[in-house]
Amino acid sequence: MPSSTSSTSKTSTKPLLISAGVALAAITLGIVSWQATAPDAAGSAGSGSGSGAVAAPRTDPAAELKALARRESGDKLAVGRADAPVVLIEYSDFKCGYCAKFARDTEPELVKKYVANGTLRIEWRNFPIFGAESEAAARAAWAAGQQDRFEAFHAAAYADGSKDKGFAEPRLVELAREAGVPDLERFKADLAGEQAAAALKKDQEEGYRIGVTSTPSFLLNGRPIAGAQPLDTFTAAIARAKAEAAKQ
């Protein structure tokens, strides 16, 4: 995994992928590009107006990013109230060291301070970028979630030293056992099933569509945050987003 000496942009990336700073811009620019090239639902293109004008994006990029929050009450990969004023979407990989650091050092504080009082909802997106074991771990996390043990699996998989043991199937079953998954046979069936693969594909396609190329990457009420930033970065962003939501 690439190392970083920066204190403000701590991410893991695929080889040759863009840096965390560029990733921040790509998240925003990616969705602008996606909007600008989308077909016009009203069929205005080629309408014979003869103006030659290029149609502007039909929606606000920030609003489009904010709308990615699913807010599904039964979402197994989310914590917090579905109607919370602030939603943090996290794109992460279980083999990513900086994702693990965020999961151990920062996320529990956010849960304790903001999820518990109804301010914040966290929605996880599995975004594996480090190959087959990353994808297997993502499917395993989803499978654990089907038995309401996603959070516990997430904590076990991101525990200090956990990723060094790899994520082959026997290890994933061991993590499920540590997480208290009650039916391990169902877990193994879900892990290998089509629903897990489809859920993973949905998360990956969402991330790639908006330009996510490094982990961890976040959207907080539609605003990108790149990397395992310090706790203060998230608390300030949450306070700002909460204030803005109160005005709407």
Side-chain angles (χ1 to χ4, degrees):
M1 179 189 71
S3 61
S4 171
T5 57
S6 169
S7 62
T8 58
S9 294
K10 297 177 179 177
T11 62
S12 297
T13 62
K14 279 184 176 179
L16 304 182
L17 287 180
I18 58 181
S19 68
V22 179
L24 178 61
I27 291 173
T28 302
L29 294 177
I31 197 162
V32 172
S33 175
W34 169 70
Q35 291 170 349
T37 58
D40 192 308
S44 61
S47 63
S49 66
S51 66
V54 177
R58 290 166 294 152
T59 54
D60 176 19
E64 194 74 21
L65 291 171
K66 186 176 180 180
L68 291 174
R70 295 171 186 168
R71 293 186 177 273
E72 298 169 357
S73 59
D75 190 342
K76 302 289 190 179
L77 273 65
V79 294
R81 291 172 43 171
D83 62 349
V86 184
V87 179
L88 178 69
I89 302 174
E90 174 186 343
Y91 300 87
S92 58
D93 183 321
F94 284 103
K95 286 182 71 70
C96 162
Y98 289 128
C99 298
K101 178 176 175 57
F102 176 81
R104 292 195 301 266
D105 299 345
T106 304
E107 204 157 53
E109 294 301 314
L110 298 181
V111 171
K112 182 169 63 177
K113 186 172 183 179
Y114 299 109
V115 174
N117 70 9
T119 297
L120 180 68
R121 175 178 174 85
I122 301 175
E123 297 184 358
W124 287 277
R125 305 286 192 264
N126 281 312
F127 197 73
I129 60 175
F130 290 110
E133 284 201 354
S134 287
E135 294 192 358
R139 292 194 303 271
W142 182 90
Q146 302 317 293
Q147 299 185 56
D148 298 315
R149 302 304 296 166
F150 174 82
E151 287 180 78
F153 184 94
H154 178 273
Y158 278 135
D160 192 17
S162 180
K163 77 181 182 71
D164 297 331
K165 298 178 182 179
F167 293 118
E169 183 172 336
R171 171 64 178 153
L172 294 174
V173 174
E174 179 184 341
L175 287 170
R177 186 178 292 109
E178 288 180 25
V181 174
D183 187 340
L184 293 177
E185 291 305 313
R186 178 190 170 188
F187 168 81
K188 288 188 280 187
D190 285 342
L191 166 62
E194 293 182 1
Q195 284 185 290
L200 174 56
K201 182 180 179 182
K202 179 180 179 180
D203 286 356
Q204 287 177 307
E205 287 181 346
E206 176 184 294
Y208 284 126
R209 176 172 62 80
I210 63 171
V212 176
T213 54
S214 62
T215 56
S217 288
F218 307 89
L219 292 174
L220 197 146
N221 274 18
R223 287 184 171 157
I225 299 175
Q229 302 290 340
L231 177 62
D232 287 350
T233 298
F234 287 93
T235 58
I238 290 168
R240 181 173 62 246
K242 182 181 179 182
E244 290 174 350
K247 296 176 183 178
Q248 296 175 356

